[in-house]
Amino acid sequence: MNIAILSRGEHLYSTKSLLDCGLKQHNMEVLDPSRCHVGTLNHQPVLYYGQEIVDDLDAVIPRIGASITFYGTAVLRQFEMQGVYPLNESVGIGRSRDKLRSMQLLARDGIGLPVTTFAHDPKQTEEVLDLAGGAPVVIKLLEGTQGIGVVLADTKRSAKSVVEAFRGAGVNILVQEFIKEAGGTDIRAIVIGGKVVAAMKRTGAAGDFRSNLHRGGTAEVIKLSPEERLTAIRSAKAMGLNVCGVDMLRANHGPVVMEVNSSPGLEGVEAATGLDIASKIIEYIEKNAKPNATKTKGKG
């Protein structure tokens, strides 16, 4: 098979792992989405990489960074229009990158979530905070990633100041209840093809309520409860993602989903579990890649 990885960094751990695994049996290449150009030729969708037309791919693995989500998904959509099989479809990636939209979809399917509120008018700050259960609350940028743009406000006064500052600057945010009983830890479950293939517990660095490994957190292998496993699988399905990382907290009333990541990093989970996740992703493509197999056909 001819498989491309859409990534801006061939040296990145996840990209390199996928590349090395794929090269054992397939023709692999890394395409920087920022160097791709989309257009039409002879009334057909066409994609250029530099000056060359790309028209011989069987599958594409999107590893699109959050900073280029809009353009990266446009490039992926062009591949879909050409009949190339996407590991994750552009629609699913777009859903997962919009925190509000993802919460709406998860809530529609009855998946456990922290109490979440969103409002446009800064004058509604007090109502938003009250709906989230009052301080302490977690305030998140709608398009933040890796723990960036996530603030814990301990008091109502500080929460009000943060919300008003963000909204005054025209920045869209979510306000969520703080799950105190999670104790600065969360769970990441890796889902491939509707099955949980790995899970780890992440613990935040001292003094930091965020458990992201990029921010100094640590990870260890963990066994999921049946409810946690089912929550991860249902979350992936709600987003329409074949491969994803589902981040959950253990609340007193059961697991609650914080985020569904369409391009989960492989380094932390492989180190914690000893599993070769990259190989499992390549195997999934081998079993499922077919021409014109995009389920959503570009629809949301």
Side-chain angles (χ1 to χ4, degrees):
M1 295 177 64
N2 295 323
I3 304 173
I5 304 173
L6 273 184
S7 173
R8 300 188 73 182
E10 189 170 336
H11 64 284
L12 298 174
Y13 180 93
S14 299
T15 300
K16 190 174 185 304
S17 292
L18 290 164
L19 184 64
D20 291 344
C21 289
L23 282 172
K24 295 175 183 177
Q25 297 188 55
H26 305 286
N27 297 318
M28 301 286 298
E29 61 181 324
V30 177
L31 302 180
D32 182 343
S34 66
R35 293 186 58 204
C36 295
H37 314 288
V38 301
T40 59
L41 185 65
N42 297 325
H43 309 295
Q44 295 295 322
V46 64
L47 188 140
Y48 296 88
Y49 190 64
Q51 302 298 318
E52 301 293 325
I53 293 178
V54 181
D55 59 1
D56 61 347
L57 292 180
D58 298 300
V60 59
I61 302 173
R63 299 288 306 179
I64 299 167
S67 62
I68 59 163
T69 296
F70 179 81
Y71 191 75
T73 51
V75 170
L76 181 59
R77 192 160 53 244
Q78 193 80 350
F79 279 122
E80 294 169 357
M81 299 302 175
Q82 292 178 317
V84 179
Y85 177 81
L87 177 66
N88 279 331
E89 296 184 20
S90 56
V91 169
I93 294 172
R95 289 169 179 164
S96 69
R97 291 288 168 84
D98 184 331
K99 285 186 171 61
L100 177 60
R101 187 181 184 192
S102 65
M103 290 288 157
Q104 290 171 322
L105 291 169
L106 294 169
R108 180 189 66 184
D109 288 355
I111 293 169
L113 299 167
V115 176
T116 303
T117 59
F118 172 80
H120 179 74
D121 189 348
K123 296 178 182 177
Q124 295 178 303
T125 298
E126 296 225 9
E127 290 91 333
V128 166
L129 294 175
D130 289 340
L131 286 171
V137 293
V138 177
I139 302 166
K140 296 181 177 180
L141 299 182
L142 279 191
E143 296 180 354
T145 184
Q146 296 181 352
I148 299 171
V150 180
V151 178
L152 173 62
D154 292 310
T155 66
K156 187 171 184 177
R157 174 179 287 185
S158 63
K160 187 176 180 181
S161 296
V162 173
V163 170
E164 290 178 344
F166 276 133
R167 291 303 305 130
V171 178
N172 290 316
I173 58 172
L174 291 178
V175 178
Q176 293 183 325
E177 69 170 320
F178 177 57
I179 309 297
K180 183 178 180 181
E181 59 267 28
T185 68
D186 74 358
I187 297 167
R188 167 160 288 187
I190 301 296
V191 180
I192 300 178
K195 297 180 180 179
V196 175
V197 300
M200 62 179 174
K201 181 173 76 172
R202 304 184 298 185
T203 303
D208 194 341
F209 77 100
R210 298 166 297 181
S211 56
N212 303 76
L213 300 185
H214 288 85
R215 312 203 69 79
T218 57
E220 60 184 291
V221 67
I222 190 174
K223 183 176 181 179
L224 299 182
S225 69
E227 186 180 7
E228 290 164 347
R229 187 174 296 272
L230 181 60
T231 295
I233 293 169
R234 292 178 63 210
S235 298
K237 184 177 180 180
M239 293 294 104
L241 295 169
N242 296 319
V243 174
C244 63
V246 180
D247 297 340
M248 299 176 282
L249 298 179
R250 285 178 163 168
N252 288 333
H253 50 82
V256 294
V257 176
M258 303 302 293
E259 184 176 3
V260 181
N261 192 317
S262 57
S263 295
L266 305 183
E267 185 173 11
V269 70
E270 288 188 342
T273 64
L275 298 173
D276 186 351
I277 306 300
S279 289
K280 294 180 183 296
I281 291 173
I282 297 298
E283 289 170 6
Y284 178 83
I285 292 174
E286 292 170 347
K287 293 177 182 178
N288 294 275
K290 298 177 182 178
N292 300 299
T294 308
K295 296 177 182 178
T296 56
K297 305 299 182 186
K299 298 178 182 179

